[in-house]
Amino acid sequence: MTDIFTKSELDRRTLLRRAAAVGLLATPAVSMLSACVGGSDEGTQDQATGTKSADNPLGIDPKAGVEIVIFNGGLGTKYATDVDTPLFNKKWPEAKVTYSQTEEISTQIQPRINAGNPPDMINNSGSKLMDFGAIVKAGQAADLTDLFAAPSLDIAGKTVAETLVPGAVEQGTYDGKPFAVNYAYTVFGLWYNAALFKKNNWTPPATWAEFTALCDKIKAAGITPFGYAGANASYYMVRALLTSAGKIGTEQVLKDIDNLKEGAWTNDAVKQAAEAWAGIGKNYINKTFLGLRHTEVQLQQNQDKVAFYPCGSWLENEQAKDTPSGFEYAIAPYPSVTASDKLPATAINAAAGEIYFAAAKGKNPQGGKEYLRTMLSKEAALEFTKLTKSLTVVAGASDGVTISPGLTSANDAVAKAGKDVFMGYLFDTWYKKLDDESRAAANDLMFKDYDAAKFCERMEKASQAVAKDSAITKFTRS
């Protein structure tokens, strides 16, 4: 392991500066709210408040309890129980933090939001995350303007916003106001065991021809060349496919998809990416993976039964307990699909993500914001990285720290990509119906029919159905 944070910091800042330039200018197309999220004020509970001061900039009640719910996935939950909550109680010892975790956020939390009794701070993530665009439009997410304007807990002379990498606030902004903290900084690509590759003299591919040739060698060695879990992680495949489309035709391809532009899903870049990946599904994937969950396929990779796995940089931490000694996580960018791709083979998808928000109608929304302010302290961010092997949006929080092989590899990949790091797409958090359809369509493409044209036409139809549905609030990206 090597210390690479200092030399990569400029690259990380450059990346999120470019993410900020995306300009998430969300504009409501209609006034109707999603039927699944209650928007009325009936039954709103009394909310805890306190007196604002230099030491209490958000005006919380120092004795009021705070309820938080954390998604238990790739990042685990120890950062909340072992770091954030103790830090919060160090400053507010009389404020009891009630903690719970779940793998199904929408199942557990959506009914409480609808009933007007939500937790104060929620980590909205996972395969069953809630439709956050609908939550914002229903007035259920608290405006975080005061949080970002508040002073940092441990970086003197700076507001919370001023301690974050450029673009961090903008990525949680809707209709010109911030409603979410996108906390984790994630790098996406093809994950593999560097030790296995060294042993077999395999080199990660830069072109699609190299990719398929290597898959042939891996298959001949008795190892499944590529795999992902169809049961609950098909969105990993959606990101892989659309990252390839973005490399073929630039990020504008993905912006058009986000903006529901007619023909966005049937353009040549998406067609070429879908056709290339369909070939991987037809020839190099284990068909039983369609019914498996993510941890089951990831365990097979830890056992060197699967070579390449498409995922984000949370993978190393998620598999920590099952990763055998000598297994060395590493990441490779998705290889170029054509010789005329507009972005180079080194181009990579990385961005701030993992939504955390305060519930506007909770018992203690200001307490929820104060908990987020704790998370955005330098101390909390550093400990988060140590525990999860994932970076945060707190600028420089991990400088000078020696990190794991996987995260070192991810940072090196970002550094090599330079200006060719792109944020990706946003429709998956804006339009749940379209996200659900993309997951199902990706599974069919990779496990069943291998039909790129059918995939593109299916997604185009779904996209335009959303575009024409006046009950769905629209957002735009420039």
Side-chain angles (χ1 to χ4, degrees), residues 38-45 138-140 361:
S40 73
D41 289 327
E42 295 182 10
T44 299
Q45 54 199 328
Q140 298 284 3
K361 299 180 181 180

Side-chain angles (χ1 to χ4, degrees), residues 99-218:
Y99 158 86
S100 61
Q101 59 85 17
T102 179
E103 294 183 10
E104 298 186 356
I105 287 291
S106 61
T107 303
Q108 299 295 321
I109 304 305
Q110 191 73 67
R112 292 187 56 185
I113 288 180
N114 294 346
N117 181 37
D120 301 306
M121 197 286 289
I122 302 160
N123 172 203
N124 185 36
S125 185
S127 61
K128 293 191 176 182
L129 81 170
M130 297 179 291
D131 184 339
F132 192 65
I135 287 173
V136 170
K137 285 301 167 187
Q140 298 284 3
D143 182 347
L144 302 182
T145 299
D146 55 347
L147 164 65
F148 291 120
S152 165
L153 273 178
D154 58 3
I155 302 178
K158 289 189 176 183
T159 65
V160 170
E162 290 170 342
T163 68
L164 308 182
V165 292
V169 176
E170 286 82 353
Q171 283 185 273
T173 295
Y174 294 72
D175 295 337
K177 292 181 180 180
F179 290 97
V181 172
N182 289 273
Y183 189 66
Y185 179 74
T186 304
V187 183
F188 298 93
L190 281 172
W191 289 87
Y192 63 97
N193 178 7
L196 175 68
F197 274 52
K198 291 173 186 174
K199 176 183 176 182
N200 290 281
N201 293 317
W202 294 337
T203 302
T207 68
W208 211 261
E210 292 174 356
F211 189 23
T212 56
L214 179 56
C215 284
D216 286 332
K217 292 180 180 179
I218 293 169

